[in-house]
């Protein structure tokens, strides 16, 4: 069995797949300890190989690698930046500066679409990436996602305080808010949706012959109707990880 890890700044997405690529188990945890607890509680799991992508610091990533070796007896393969993988070319002037999670999402999207693509990842940060029909990454955009927008408002505005349950209730509709929670939550979502609409407009300019849209990240469903026909692929980074770190 192969353990795959997507180690972000806030959470670790993990999944265990069979040698032929079938997903067997998956989850999201907020710490290394929670990851190993989840794996220990999965009695049928016998991990023999591991690959991962990490946007953490080098020290934090190395600590995880050591624990994987000590606890599971596996030497994990880490995804690395590359100027080109197959026909897909990294579009950054300094290719090593493109976030690994974005690079893997680009690889995954082009592998699935085989055509011009717009990739929108809606997580803690929101990113947009454009890939031409011949596999050239044209670059992209980064803006704060919902968690960052909320944090900034609550940090810099003393009277904005409410819990997660209130936030979720506020998102049941997008009418003008009649409470602070509704106004903030709906306002942030409107900004998110406006960002996505602008990326679609730009993609139409760059790719007049057509393009595929891929949505990923925890808030993808909030903008799904803004991009009709888009493919929602929660495991898009893992698709790219398998391409960047093949194990067969």
């Amino acid at each position: 069995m192969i353990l795959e890890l997507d180690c972000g700044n806030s959470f670790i997405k993990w999944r265990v797949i069979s040698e032929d690529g079938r997903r067997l188990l998956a989850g999201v945890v907020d710490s290394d300890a929670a990851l190993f607890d989840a794996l220990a509680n999965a009695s049928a799991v016998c991990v023999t190989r591991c690959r991962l992508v990490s946007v953490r610091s080098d020290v934090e990533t190395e600590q995880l690698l050591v624990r994987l070796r000590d606890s599971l007896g596996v030497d994990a393969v880490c995804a690395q930046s590359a100027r080109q993988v197959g026909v897909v070319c990294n579009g950054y002037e300094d290719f090593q500066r493109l976030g690994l999670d974005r690079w893997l999402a680009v690889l995954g999207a082009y592998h699935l679409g085989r055509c011009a693509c717009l990739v929108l990842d809606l997580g803690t940060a929101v990113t947009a990436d454009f890939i031409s029909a011949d596999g050239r990454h044209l670059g992209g955009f980064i803006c704060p996602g919902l968690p960052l927008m909320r944090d900034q408002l609550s940090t810099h505005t003393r009277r904005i305080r409410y819990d997660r349950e209130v936030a979720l209730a506020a998102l049941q509709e997008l009418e003008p808010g009649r409470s602070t929670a509704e106004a903030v939550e709906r306002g942030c979502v409107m900004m998110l949706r406006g960002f996505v609409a602008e990326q679609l407009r730009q993609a139409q300019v760059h790719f007049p012959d057509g393009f595929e849209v891929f949505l990923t990240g925890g808030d993808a469903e909030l903008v799904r109707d803004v991009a009709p026909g888009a493919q929602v692929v929660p495991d898009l980074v893992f698709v790219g990880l398998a391409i960047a770190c093949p194990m067969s």
Side-chain angles (χ1 to χ4, degrees), residues 65-243:
L65 293 174
V66 170
R67 190 162 180 182
L68 286 166
R69 190 178 303 120
D70 292 344
S71 299
L72 302 180
V74 295
D75 289 311
V77 178
C78 296
Q80 302 293 327
S81 299
R83 191 176 301 280
Q84 183 169 349
V85 172
V87 300
V88 181
C89 298
N90 191 316
Y92 264 29
E93 294 177 0
D94 178 356
F95 72 90
Q96 293 180 317
R97 299 295 295 175
L98 178 64
L100 278 172
D101 50 349
R102 285 176 65 195
W103 174 234
L104 296 184
V106 164
L107 291 177
Y110 191 78
H111 171 76
L112 296 175
R114 301 292 179 181
C115 62
C117 301
L118 168 61
V119 183
L120 295 163
D121 188 342
L122 298 106
T124 303
V126 175
T127 61
D129 285 286
F130 299 77
I131 311 112
S132 67
D134 60 359
R136 287 181 301 115
H137 174 232
L138 304 182
F141 299 94
I142 305 173
C143 75
L146 287 183
L148 289 179
M149 285 192 272
R150 287 190 194 104
D151 288 348
Q152 285 298 302
L153 283 169
S154 63
T155 298
H156 296 287
T157 309
R158 292 183 180 179
R159 292 181 180 273
I160 293 180
R161 296 289 187 276
Y162 50 86
D163 59 31
R164 184 60 181 153
E165 289 71 22
V166 173
L168 291 173
L171 291 177
Q172 297 304 306
E173 58 181 79
L174 292 178
E175 290 297 312
R178 300 182 65 187
S179 68
T180 299
E182 290 179 352
V184 169
E185 291 297 315
R186 295 173 189 178
C188 289
V189 170
M190 296 289 268
M191 290 187 71
L192 200 66
R193 291 163 67 86
F195 177 85
V196 169
E198 173 60 19
Q199 303 316 301
L200 291 169
R201 188 196 68 78
Q202 292 227 12
Q204 289 166 356
V205 172
H206 285 290
F207 310 130
D209 294 329
F211 57 94
E212 288 284 342
V213 180
F214 292 90
L215 298 176
T216 191
D219 289 322
E221 290 294 336
L222 293 176
V223 302
R224 190 170 190 172
D225 62 313
V226 181
Q231 297 187 47
V232 179
V233 187
D235 289 341
L236 188 59
V237 168
F238 286 139
V239 176
L241 180 61
I243 296 167

Side-chain angles (χ1 to χ4, degrees), residues 3-16 23-39 41-42 56 122-124 216-219 234-238:
L3 172 64
E4 297 183 322
L5 303 174
D6 177 4
C7 305
N9 293 307
S10 304
F11 298 99
I12 301 174
K13 287 183 64 177
W14 65 273
R15 71 177 190 176
V16 177
R23 188 171 80 163
L24 304 176
L25 289 170
V28 179
V29 293
D30 59 5
S31 67
D32 292 2
L35 169 67
F36 287 96
D37 285 345
L39 292 172
N41 291 329
R56 296 169 160 192
L122 298 106
T124 303
T216 191
D219 289 322
D235 289 341
L236 188 59
V237 168
F238 286 139

